[in-house]
Amino acid sequence: MRKAILASVILSAMFSVAQAADVKWNGDFSYRSDKLEVGPTDSTNDLLRAQLMASADVNDKTKVVFGVRTGTTKSDWSNMGEGNSLKNVDLNLAYVEYAATPFAKLTLGKMHRPWESNALFFDNDIKPEGLAVAVKHESGLTLSAFDLKLAEGGVRKDSSLSGLQVGYGKKLLGLDVAASAAMLKQEVYPAVTTLPVPPAPVRAVKHDQLVVGVSAAKEVAGIPVKLFAEQVTNDEAKTQDKATAYGVTFGNAKKAGDWEVSILKQDAEANALSTVWTDSDFGGEAALHDGTAIRAAYALADGWKVRGSLFDVEVGAAKTDYKRLMVDLVFAF
């Protein structure tokens, strides 16, 4: 059923984009040098990325988006070389957005993550599938509710994630202050697609996460500054159930000559995070981790940006050293 719904959304999106008079295109072509050290082993890879997205306003209430990219579920980068092999390009986005009222919209299909997080608890490259409702009121109150399918279980139940996030933002003492709280309920079942079903009952891996975050932003001496703190608590776990993150960002590399630098500290206990969503760059998807991320970017010219990311993390119960340096050259349009 989920595949049928997604297929209909994709076909609808393609037809609507093709028929729309005003289609907006954007994307990027990028190169990455990636040096990784995990314990005593190390590797260096050259990677490339290509993304293309089309969006169109079908009418004053309906918008369709369709996009493709290189890479895999948790990474939009592909290795260069490999005998000059063809690169994997797959569907990245395919959704319809319906604005029922000026402050509420419904999104259906393969979309951007429908809840917000400033930390690296959830991989930003994942584009979940399902439906989401978002409300943004002029008072500063926001609300997002969503029901997502992670995997079809065949003769078992589907793996899923549903949740609700409430947020509020306002100007306070010259600061742009925001706070949010989200409840995320996740059930992951091992897939069984053939009969007979194994006689032993299979329990779902469950996470009932409370995600609480605060942030404050202000321009200081002409430089944008933003601070944040965030915590996840998994109510399904009896022990080792918390993950915390905090960080600061200076600047914003949007146009030629702009720069930005960010520092993030993150510590996740063994049972706090779901491995389905853990970030693939910070700690290589390890749910148990403790480390720092330092990232910087400089806009060389309109559309051109160079950026670097340094991760220094300890992963797993053995506290294995995980060090990673990524340097990207990006052309976006």
Side-chain angles (χ1 to χ4, degrees):
M1 181 64 180
R2 179 179 67 90
K3 290 182 179 179
I5 294 174
L6 183 59
S8 66
V9 171
I10 293 170
L11 292 174
S12 175
M14 294 176 65
F15 177 79
S16 299
V17 169
Q19 293 296 314
D22 184 19
V23 179
K24 297 178 182 178
W25 296 90
N26 63 75
D28 74 69
F29 296 94
S30 308
Y31 162 80
R32 167 174 288 179
S33 175
D34 187 356
K35 182 174 177 56
L36 175 64
E37 296 180 10
V38 181
T41 65
D42 65 85
S43 62
T44 301
N45 290 290
D46 294 326
L47 304 104
L48 60 83
R49 179 180 73 187
Q51 300 184 99
L52 182 64
M53 185 178 76
S55 62
D57 293 322
V58 180
N59 53 50
D60 59 350
K61 290 188 176 182
T62 306
K63 176 181 179 180
V64 294
V65 175
F66 182 81
V68 294
R69 77 175 196 199
T70 53
T72 58
T73 301
K74 283 191 175 183
S75 176
D76 43 17
W77 296 86
S78 294
N79 278 331
M80 296 179 66
E82 297 182 333
N84 296 314
S85 63
L86 300 179
K87 304 307 176 188
N88 182 51
V89 177
D90 277 316
L91 183 68
N92 184 37
L93 296 166
Y95 64 86
V96 176
E97 186 178 282
Y98 176 69
T101 71
F103 56 85
K105 66 181 181 183
L106 168 69
T107 303
L108 175 65
K110 188 172 182 63
M111 67 190 78
H112 298 288
R113 190 182 68 227
W115 71 92
E116 295 190 12
S117 172
N118 289 303
L120 295 178
F121 299 143
F122 311 101
D123 197 301
N124 287 322
D125 291 325
I126 296 176
K127 307 302 179 189
E129 301 162 16
L131 62 89
V133 177
V135 176
K136 186 174 183 180
H137 196 262
E138 60 184 9
S139 65
L141 180 68
T142 60
L143 183 145
S144 180
F146 37 89
D147 184 35
L148 310 171
K149 296 297 183 185
L150 305 180
E152 290 191 329
V155 293
R156 295 214 186 278
K157 292 182 64 176
D158 291 350
S159 297
S160 63
L161 182 147
S162 58
L164 175 71
Q165 184 175 60
V166 178
Y168 184 69
K170 68 175 299 182
K171 199 86 169 178
L172 182 65
L173 300 176
L175 299 172
D176 292 317
V177 179
S180 65
M183 289 294 300
L184 307 177
K185 183 178 179 63
Q186 179 177 316
E187 292 186 346
V188 178
Y189 292 86
V192 177
T193 56
T194 59
L195 293 172
V197 180
V202 177
R203 298 179 60 186
V205 177
K206 295 184 178 182
H207 284 76
D208 284 347
Q209 295 171 316
L210 172 64
V211 186
V212 179
V214 294
S215 66
K218 181 179 176 61
E219 193 168 283
V220 180
I223 299 173
V225 180
K226 179 180 179 180
L227 298 96
F228 85 91
E230 196 166 312
Q231 183 177 76
V232 173
T233 304
N234 179 18
D235 290 338
E236 282 288 333
K238 304 299 182 183
T239 60
Q240 298 287 301
D241 62 346
K242 286 184 172 53
T244 58
Y246 52 89
V248 59
T249 299
F250 302 94
N252 191 355
K254 278 191 172 182
K255 59 181 186 296
D258 289 349
W259 59 271
E260 65 182 70
V261 175
S262 66
I263 302 172
L264 173 143
K265 180 71 173 67
Q266 185 163 298
D267 179 6
E269 296 177 340
N271 302 319
L273 302 180
S274 166
T275 54
V276 174
W277 292 92
T278 47
D279 188 88
S280 62
D281 295 332
F282 188 91
E285 301 186 66
L288 174 58
H289 61 247
D290 182 8
T292 303
I294 301 173
R295 292 173 288 188
Y298 180 76
L300 299 167
D302 290 344
W304 289 93
K305 184 185 296 186
V306 61
R307 66 188 179 203
S309 303
L310 175 64
F311 303 98
D312 188 357
V313 190
E314 291 182 337
V315 300
K319 296 186 176 180
T320 302
D321 286 336
Y322 176 100
K323 300 181 187 297
R324 191 170 193 175
L325 175 63
M326 303 184 302
V327 179
D328 304 339
L329 179 62
V330 180
F331 172 67
F333 59 91

